[in-house]
Every structure is written in C-alpha cells, then in structure tokens.
C-alpha cells in the first residue's frame, strides 16, 4: 500500500493502518523518502482541516521510575473513558540486534484484543535526544487517527529533552527516595515538565516529601502553576484520575496551532541536521538563520516539505 493511501486511512481514523504506517516511517532507505513524504502530506493540517485531534503526551524520567507501570494505568483510564491510545515507546538500542532493548510491548500491561490501544517499541539508535529518528513523524501521523498519542523516552538528561519539542504536554516521572529531585535540579530538567509525576505514592511519607520538594523547586523557578501529582499503580491505584485531569487541563490551555507549528519546524531542522550535518547547517548560515527561514514558511507545512525548503536554501547559498 502506498504512503498516500496509508495517510488517507489514518486521516479517516482507520486505526488498523497504524502498523503499516509505522513500518514505512521507520524505513530509512533513501528510496522510501517520497512515500514517507506522501504519507505525512495526507495528515498535514491542510488536508485535515486543522491540527490533528490527538493529545500528544511525552512521558520521560529516569530508568526504574515506573514509567511503564504508570503508562499501563493511564492507558486503562483513557480506554475506560472511550479514548483510543497509541504508545510510542523509545527504548535503548541493543548493540547485538540493533533493535529496541527493553520492548515496552511486553512491559506495558495491555489486552492484546483491544483494538483501541496500539503499542510500538522503537530503538533510539544513535540519537542522543531520547527519540528514535522516526518518532516525531510517527507521532504526527498517528495523531490524525488516535485520541491520545504517548511518546515514552529512554530517560532524562541535558541531551535527552527532545520530547519537549515533539509533544503537546510533557510529563516527567520521579521516583521518591531515589535522589531524582536533586539530579533534576542539577541538570535543569525542572524547566521541561508541564506536569510532574511522583510515582509509588504508596510509600507514604517518602513520596509526600518528594512531592513537597518538587513543588518547592518549581516555586523557586517561578513555575508554581506546574502541577505535581502523586500516583500509585499498586492496587487499588490512586492519583490516576487526577493525573488524567492535569494532562487534559494543560492541553486545554494550549495555543495548539502554535505548538504544533513549532514542533514541525523543529522536527524539520533536526531531520535536516541528521541528514546534512553541521556542514549543511553552515550553508544555511547557522541554526538561528535556519530557524528564521523556517519561521517564514507556511504554518501548516509538513516536515518533508520544510526539509525540502531548507535543502533548497542550502543548495542556493
């Protein structure tokens, strides 16, 4: 099936097109670029009549913080509310096979018969930003078909915050009693989250102390409006409904066209640099000049069209 046909199926909210669409988007062969561009053109704002309807949620945090268990509980809550959910889990790359090392399809508890829940594990590859090369494109494509698209990254660090450029809402997960609060402050990660999540609230005072420390840190940074939600996935689960509400409230307050336009432009710049390196960036006059050039493009342009515009400008420089 062609890329255009897959894109049209996603635009019609045909969830069964998701696996084939991601297979295409993850194919990095140069000869597949026209098919990928055709797919993404079909789910661009121009044909959709506006921005894709999904809420794109980035979930990140240190390994072992309980992200997968949390996502299992979140997915159940969203599905119970009748919402369709796609999870793009970006895992570390296996040095032996080159594939996803942890495999969130296995780690996230899901009913295999539930056609409204789609889970895909992808390997981060050599990208340091916590996102696989095709993750941005996959999120943009699936956002046309699903109600919620989740991007779960391999971790948090100064070089692993790309998810903030790809998602509408970023949730950072913290494990109480692990020193995460101090590490977040050192790394400057506190500027990333739209929602902070303290997992393992069943630990009691340790979890509540982490929540207080994070709230105090946010106040010191002038970000007191960022909610800090304590959750427990241990039955009976607690805090999940509050978290769903906090994520939804953030989405409702967004200027979504501006957020999505910025995401596409940053994605195009990242793809251009991945393809052409620093030499290509210098041909554009540097990163700031490239960003200024993108600012003059059509707000609804898809990523391949934006990359093509940058390539044309670099060739003519």
């Amino acid at each position: 099936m062609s890329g255009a046909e897959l894109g049209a199926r996603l635009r019609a909210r045909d969830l069964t097109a998701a696996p084939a669409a991601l297979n295409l988007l993850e194919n990095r062969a140069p000869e597949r670029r026209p098919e990928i561009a055709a797919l993404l053109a079909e789910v661009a704002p121009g044909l959709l009549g506006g921005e894709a309807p999904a809420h794109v949620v980035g979930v990140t945090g240190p390994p072992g913080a309980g992200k997968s268990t949390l996502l299992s509980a979140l997915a159940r809550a969203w599905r119970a509310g009748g919402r369709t959910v796609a999870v793009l889990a970006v895992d570390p790359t296996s040095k032996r096979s080159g594939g996803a090392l942890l495999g969130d399809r296995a780690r996230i508890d899901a009913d295999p018969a539930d056609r409204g829940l789609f889970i895909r594990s992808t390997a981060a590859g050599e990208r340091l930003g916590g996102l696989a090369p095709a993750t941005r494109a996959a999120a943009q494509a699936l956002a046309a078909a699903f109600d919620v698209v989740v991007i779960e990254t391999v971790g948090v660090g100064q070089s692993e915050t790309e998810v903030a450029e790809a998602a509408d809402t970023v949730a950072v997960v913290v494990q109480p009693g692990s020193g995460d609060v101090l590490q977040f402050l050192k790394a400057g990660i506190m500027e990333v989250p739209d929602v902070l999540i303290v997992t393992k609230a069943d630990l009691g005072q340790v979890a509540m102390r982490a929540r207080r420390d994070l709230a105090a840190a946010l106040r010191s940074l002038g970000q007191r409006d960022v909610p800090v939600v304590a959750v427990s996935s241990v039955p009976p689960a607690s805090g999940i409904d509050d978290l769903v509400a906090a994520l939804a409230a953030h989405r409702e307050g967004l200027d979504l066209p501006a957020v999505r336009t910025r995401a596409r432009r940053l994605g195009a710049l990242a793809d251009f640099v991945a393809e052409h390196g620093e030499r290509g960036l210098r041909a554009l006059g540097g990163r700031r000049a490239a960003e200024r050039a993108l600012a003059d493009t059509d707000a609804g342009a898809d990523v391949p069209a934006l990359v093509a515009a940058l390539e044309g400008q670099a060739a003519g420089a």
Side-chain angles (χ1 to χ4, degrees):
M1 184 171 293
S2 71
E5 289 171 323
L6 287 170
R9 286 175 60 189
L10 290 175
R11 194 174 71 247
R13 312 208 74 177
D14 179 357
L15 306 188
T16 63
L22 262 62
N23 288 342
L24 173 59
L25 293 170
E26 291 171 359
N27 190 322
R28 311 311 294 173
E31 61 268 20
R32 301 312 299 272
R33 288 182 65 178
E35 288 296 310
I36 292 172
L39 189 161
L40 294 176
E42 290 291 328
V43 294
L47 287 180
L48 286 173
E51 295 297 337
H55 185 185
V56 182
V57 179
V59 177
T60 189
K67 296 189 295 295
S68 297
T69 305
L70 173 66
L71 279 177
S72 298
L74 267 176
R76 283 193 297 270
W78 278 320
R79 292 295 295 129
R83 309 190 78 189
T84 55
V85 181
V87 179
L88 300 171
V90 187
D91 286 326
T93 304
S94 169
K95 293 183 179 179
R96 178 174 298 177
S97 69
L101 187 62
L102 300 180
D104 259 297
R105 184 187 297 275
R107 291 190 290 125
I108 295 176
D109 182 22
D111 178 1
D114 184 358
R115 301 305 179 192
L117 174 60
F118 175 75
I119 301 171
R120 183 69 161 247
S121 292
T122 55
E126 297 178 356
R127 293 284 286 272
L128 297 178
L131 296 187
T135 304
R136 292 175 189 258
Q140 291 165 7
L142 296 184
F146 289 83
D147 296 316
V148 182
V149 176
V150 179
I151 305 171
E152 183 202 1
T153 71
V154 294
V156 162
Q158 287 177 308
S159 64
E160 296 179 308
T161 54
E162 284 185 1
V163 70
E165 299 174 355
D168 305 330
T169 301
V170 179
V172 174
V173 180
V174 182
Q175 180 178 347
S178 62
D180 285 349
V181 174
L182 180 59
Q183 291 304 314
F184 280 17
L185 289 172
K186 283 183 178 178
I189 301 302
M190 295 296 284
E191 299 177 3
V192 171
D194 300 306
V195 178
L196 266 169
I197 306 167
V198 178
T199 57
K200 305 179 183 178
D202 51 286
L203 294 177
Q205 287 301 316
V206 175
M208 293 305 102
R209 187 181 309 117
R211 183 179 182 181
R212 289 195 299 270
D213 289 347
L214 288 167
L218 288 166
R219 287 196 298 272
S220 71
L221 293 170
Q223 296 176 268
R224 63 177 63 245
D225 292 336
V226 174
V228 183
V229 183
V231 303
S232 172
S233 302
V234 176
S238 64
I240 300 300
D241 289 343
D242 292 338
L243 176 55
V244 168
L247 294 170
H250 178 265
R251 162 64 185 265
E252 290 170 4
L254 289 178
D255 179 351
L256 194 62
V259 170
R260 294 279 179 82
T261 298
R262 178 176 181 271
R264 286 189 291 271
R265 289 171 175 171
L266 289 173
L269 185 54
D271 285 356
F272 176 85
V273 173
E275 181 73 20
H276 300 283
E278 291 300 320
R279 178 177 296 182
L281 199 57
R282 286 196 297 273
L284 292 171
R287 184 171 295 273
R288 289 187 179 179
E291 291 175 351
R292 286 195 296 270
L294 288 170
D296 293 332
T297 59
D298 178 7
D302 57 77
V303 171
L306 293 172
V307 173
L310 290 175
E311 289 174 337
Q313 183 167 330

